[in-house]
Amino acid sequence: MIPGVQNTRAGARVRSLLAAALAVAAGLSSACDSDSRRLPTEASPASAATAASDPAVERMPIIRIPRRRTGGPTPTPTLPGPRPTATPAPTSTLGPTATPGPTSPPPPTPTPTVPAPTPTRTAPAPTATPTVSATIAIRLRGINWQWDFFGPGKSGGPNITLKRGQPYRIEFFNDGPEDSSFHTFSGIAALALSAVSVAPGESVMMSFTPAQTGTFPYACTNSSCGVGHDNMEGTVTVVP
């Protein structure tokens, strides 16, 4: 092989490599051109004719650089996979039912204070008032020389029985003749009977109510009434 021709081929190859490197470094701006645009490394028809006519010129090898789109790496074709199944949106569910907390007990209702009942003063039962009996009338007669009681159930004699608490009205009278002496009743202090003197034909009234039981004596205190004066004595007995 002719040395000159060999050097020409080597120079052409070097130039082609440099051109390719420059094209890659420049971002392959010419890759975006139309498919009809040829790379600088391709031989034009004129060059091809020259090379064919000149046997000393060897055809420069053509290096094709795949086209790239500016702006990023060549996208890797993705095989169509199965269409993703649409996941249904989660159905909104109600949240957990709020459990009511412990209900606070209602405040205690104040219990009305019932006032203590006022003690009712019971009126004491009325004391039974003893029925006042009707006054009983009795008479005591003085004559020469004796005393006689007259009254209910009694007709003469110097002694008499009365009831305690029973009202009495006693009449002292002198039933002797006008020329006889007067007689004096001594009285009984325990029965509230006072002493009294009664002249012949006269009478004296006195009321009393025996308050105590017992036998109470009485007598004539006028010693000048006659020889039988000592016989003018008697008793009053009070029973319940």
Side-chain angles (χ1 to χ4, degrees):
M1 184 179 291
I2 302 173
V5 175
Q6 186 177 3
N7 291 336
T8 302
R9 291 178 178 176
R13 184 175 300 174
V14 170
R15 285 193 298 272
S16 298
L17 293 175
L18 289 175
L22 290 174
V24 173
L28 302 177
S29 60
S30 60
C32 298
D33 297 337
S34 63
D35 293 341
S36 62
R37 186 174 182 180
R38 296 179 177 275
L39 295 175
T41 56
E42 294 183 0
S44 63
S47 298
T50 303
S53 63
D54 189 357
V57 179
E58 187 178 358
R59 293 176 65 88
M60 183 176 61
I62 299 172
I63 300 174
R64 293 183 178 275
I65 298 173
R67 290 179 298 176
R68 291 184 177 180
R69 294 186 180 277
T70 307
T74 303
T76 303
T78 303
L79 295 176
R83 180 174 298 177
T85 304
T87 304
T91 305
S92 60
T93 58
L94 296 176
T97 304
T99 303
T103 305
S104 301
T109 304
T111 304
T113 303
V114 179
T118 304
T120 304
R121 302 185 63 180
T122 305
T127 305
T129 304
T131 304
V132 179
S133 302
T135 303
I136 297 176
I138 60 175
R139 302 177 71 190
L140 178 58
R141 181 183 67 174
I143 61 174
N144 285 338
W145 299 279
Q146 69 181 34
W147 296 100
D148 295 304
F149 275 106
F150 299 91
K154 183 68 176 174
S155 180
N159 303 317
I160 193 171
T161 300
L162 305 177
K163 284 189 175 182
R164 182 182 63 183
Q166 171 65 51
Y168 293 94
R169 184 176 65 249
I170 187 171
E171 179 185 3
F172 301 95
F173 71 100
N174 189 338
D175 197 25
E178 292 182 1
D179 56 353
S180 62
S181 176
F182 66 90
H183 299 286
T184 302
F185 175 74
S186 63
I188 302 174
L191 300 180
L193 287 174
S194 303
V196 60
S197 294
V198 182
E202 294 183 359
S203 63
V204 176
M205 302 289 295
M206 190 178 299
S207 297
F208 72 103
T209 301
Q212 55 182 315
T213 60
T215 299
F216 309 94
Y218 69 95
C220 175
T221 59
N222 183 13
S223 60
S224 65
C225 67
V227 292
H229 167 73
D230 293 338
N231 295 325
M232 296 189 69
E233 295 178 349
T235 60
V236 176
T237 301
V238 179
V239 297

